[in-house]
Amino acid sequence: MAVEGTTGRVTRRRVRTRANLLDAAFSVFAAKGFGHVSIEEVCEAAGYSRGAFYSNFSSLDELFFALYQERADLIAEQVSGALALDGPGLDVPAAVDRVTDVLLLDRDWLLVKTDFLVHAARDPEVARSLLEHRARLRQAIADRLARARGHTALPAVLGDTDGAAHAVVAAYDGVTTQLLLDRDVEHARAWLKQLLTALLTDGSGTPDHSQN
């Protein structure tokens, strides 16, 4: 039993160390950018030695990949949760409000995600991971729109629910690019809400049921 208890404490400590390294790396990567950060800087920010780093990650690339995967999975879950709160129909303005709150609050995440995008553009294996995350995000949106069919019509120009989901993600990409440059979170949130409402309704904020 003593061995099992000790093993449990070691495992919990290692999980905590890994989480602390990821949190510290997030702050350092957001501040300096991937490619301008050393293992020593991450260790210093987390308060750990290089030994602690290498007991969890083989390289800075592996840590960066794990960091992106963790945050991307969390955001996909948050978006799915935000979209699941309505009944059979879809209250577009309310859903847009919830999703934009999830997607736009963290500028540091956008900085890290942009670094990951540039990194992925040069590495096909990393690109596959990024494409998988974006596909999960689009699928969560498409699934919700599909559940609302028969209750809430989409503009015909978007085609099917997959087309609408692609349009939503494209709108988010455009607005967040501007946000990275002007740092105006409130304007970005307001603009994304207007844009998504126009995309998913007749533009007035009220779903168009005339196609049903």
Side-chain angles (χ1 to χ4, degrees):
M1 291 296 294
V3 172
E4 290 178 3
T6 300
T7 301
R9 287 195 297 274
V10 169
T11 300
R12 287 194 297 273
R13 185 167 64 245
R14 181 166 184 176
V15 168
R16 186 168 60 250
T17 298
R18 180 183 174 88
N20 289 341
L21 283 166
L22 286 168
D23 286 343
F26 181 81
S27 298
V28 176
F29 284 137
K32 301 190 70 173
F34 183 69
H36 301 283
V37 173
S38 66
I39 290 174
E40 288 75 12
E41 287 174 304
V42 172
C43 291
E44 182 179 352
Y48 292 120
S49 66
R50 286 176 65 93
F53 179 94
Y54 284 115
S55 71
N56 288 275
F57 303 101
S58 63
S59 66
L60 209 54
D61 278 10
E62 183 184 335
L63 181 149
F64 189 54
F65 186 89
L67 173 64
Y68 177 83
Q69 198 72 45
E70 177 188 74
R71 301 279 172 149
D73 288 346
L74 174 62
I75 287 173
E77 290 172 9
Q78 289 174 329
V79 169
S80 296
L83 290 171
L85 295 178
D86 291 322
L90 181 63
D91 182 343
V92 172
V96 166
D97 281 349
R98 292 194 301 270
V99 170
T100 52
D101 284 344
V102 169
L103 289 175
L104 272 175
L105 287 177
D106 193 350
R107 186 173 178 273
D108 282 349
W109 162 246
L110 295 177
L111 289 167
V112 171
K113 190 182 76 164
T114 300
D115 273 350
F116 195 82
L117 173 62
V118 174
H119 186 46
R122 296 187 174 96
D123 187 325
E125 185 175 346
V126 178
R128 280 194 294 273
S129 174
L130 181 58
L131 288 170
E132 287 170 5
H133 162 63
R134 290 172 68 83
R136 287 199 305 274
L137 197 58
R138 288 196 304 269
Q139 192 60 52
I141 296 167
D143 287 348
R144 182 61 188 94
L145 295 174
R147 291 199 304 275
R149 273 190 165 176
H151 301 274
T152 306
L154 292 172
V157 70
L158 295 177
D160 58 13
T161 54
D162 287 338
H166 273 82
V168 168
V169 174
Y172 170 65
D173 287 341
V175 170
T176 53
T177 297
Q178 182 66 28
L179 171 59
L180 283 172
L181 298 175
D182 65 22
R183 301 170 179 258
D184 191 340
V185 176
E186 294 309 312
H187 179 265
R189 184 182 292 109
W191 176 232
L192 186 59
K193 287 179 180 180
Q194 293 172 14
L195 189 55
L196 293 183
T197 300
L199 274 172
L200 298 176
T201 68
D202 61 359
S204 68
T206 303
D208 179 7
H209 296 278
S210 63
Q211 299 176 46
N212 293 337

